[in-house]
Amino acid sequence: MIGDERAVRAALGAPWLIGGAMLLLCLAALVSSTMGVTQIGLGDAMLALISPLLPARWNAGLSAQDIAILTTLRLPRTLMAIIAGAGLAIAGVAMQGITRNVLVSPYTIGISPAASFGASLAMLSGGYYGGASHVLVVGSAFLSAILCAVFVLGLAAMRGISGNVLVLAGVGLSYLFGALTETLQFIATEQQLAMIVHWAFGSVNGATWDGVNTTAAVLAVIFPLLLAQAWALNAFAAGGDEVAASLGFPVARTRIVVTIGSVLMTAAIVSYVGVIGFVGLIAPHVGRMLIGGDHRLLLPFSAILGGLLLLCADLAGRLLFAPITVPVGIVVAYIGVPLFLHLLLSRRGRSG
């Protein structure tokens, strides 16, 4: 009875929570676009963003440098942080729901370590300079992540698609790809090692419009696909395969669709921003604590929380030690771990 009352309260408060989180995300995006080594006022930033649509007399006070900083550096970086955080959070929610394991994330099933190995292999092959080599690194990371996912699904299919098999296979592959990446680091030159380690930290620094457009397109396709499986994810989370099958959901096909969708989205994001492993774990947990376990609400709410978490982490990494920029993959752990532990302890105290 108490659990039902909490679920009803969470559902009634969901619109306010989602709206408030979206407002915070918009405010954080505005701050991210205006703050940095070069300070640009909020009004000037908004004017610069719409300057192509205005007559010349309206934007005469803006320098070409300010417009270039906003449109080619800060805005792509801000959007990439939001997209990457949202995509990783959605993938985490979907994988946790399909496996009934709250410790599962895109990193846990080996996708991120596999992408790191692919990118490291491309960097070790030489010539990480210019646009063509960047495409090679992104393509190699994406291909490696996809091959890892295919292997995980193949192992699971040998014994029947089950959540435990997916998790165990992913954990094993995480260790394997981690060892392979460390082997590449051991034989790399100093310059290659610096590039590999920097990429493995995870960063949205240097985000481009091509990367933003690609990841946004993948998110726009995969998110509705996963949201359409919300009822099935609720059934899996409630009672596992037996309950889902008794309610008429195709268990194996649903798990394959959700897994492939989560993998494609994670692979696309990690290929551009590197390994950021904590967002896909904490954002679903925070969302579930605040809004409940209904995946129809949890998926979009976690997406907002993931974008907000990654954007705030990137902003902190830019400003705290300016002009040195701390990679967002490091900052997000410093921000996320204390918050996660606080929420867990608070929840335990309330439940006791």
Side-chain angles (χ1 to χ4, degrees), residues 73-82 204-205 207 314 318 325:
L73 296 178
R74 292 187 185 172
L75 190 58
R77 182 173 188 161
T78 298
L79 293 177
M80 179 61 80
I82 295 174
V204 293
N205 187 23
D314 178 58
R318 273 191 283 167
T325 300

Side-chain angles (χ1 to χ4, degrees), residues 14-47:
W16 295 101
L17 287 172
I18 294 176
M22 181 61 74
L23 179 60
L24 288 176
L25 181 61
C26 293
L27 293 175
L30 288 175
V31 172
S32 176
S33 299
T34 57
M35 298 190 68
V37 177
T38 302
Q39 296 293 332
I40 301 175
L42 179 60
D44 291 338
M46 297 180 65
L47 186 61

Side-chain angles (χ1 to χ4, degrees), residues 289-312:
M289 292 175 183
L290 295 177
I291 210 170
D294 188 345
H295 287 80
R296 295 173 299 170
L297 301 173
L298 183 59
L299 281 167
F301 187 54
S302 296
I304 299 171
L305 292 179
L308 181 62
L309 173 62
L310 198 57
L311 185 58
C312 291

Side-chain angles (χ1 to χ4, degrees), residues 70-81 83 128 130-131 134-135 138 203-216 271-273:
L70 284 167
T71 57
T72 64
L73 296 178
R74 292 187 185 172
L75 190 58
R77 182 173 188 161
T78 298
L79 293 177
M80 179 61 80
I83 294 169
Y128 184 53
H134 180 71
V135 173
V138 171
S203 176
V204 293
N205 187 23
T208 63
W209 283 111
D210 289 338
V212 170
N213 293 335
T214 300
T215 52
S271 298
Y272 281 97
V273 303

Side-chain angles (χ1 to χ4, degrees), residues 226-287:
L226 295 180
L227 192 59
Q229 306 296 324
W231 281 111
L233 290 173
N234 287 342
F236 276 101
D241 295 2
E242 294 78 10
V243 172
S246 67
L247 294 175
F249 295 107
V251 174
R253 187 176 67 183
T254 300
R255 181 169 281 118
I256 290 175
V257 169
V258 171
T259 302
I260 291 177
S262 302
V263 164
L264 288 175
M265 186 156 53
T266 302
I269 292 170
V270 173
S271 298
Y272 281 97
V273 303
V275 179
I276 302 176
F278 201 70
V279 177
L281 180 64
I282 186 174
H285 277 282
V286 175

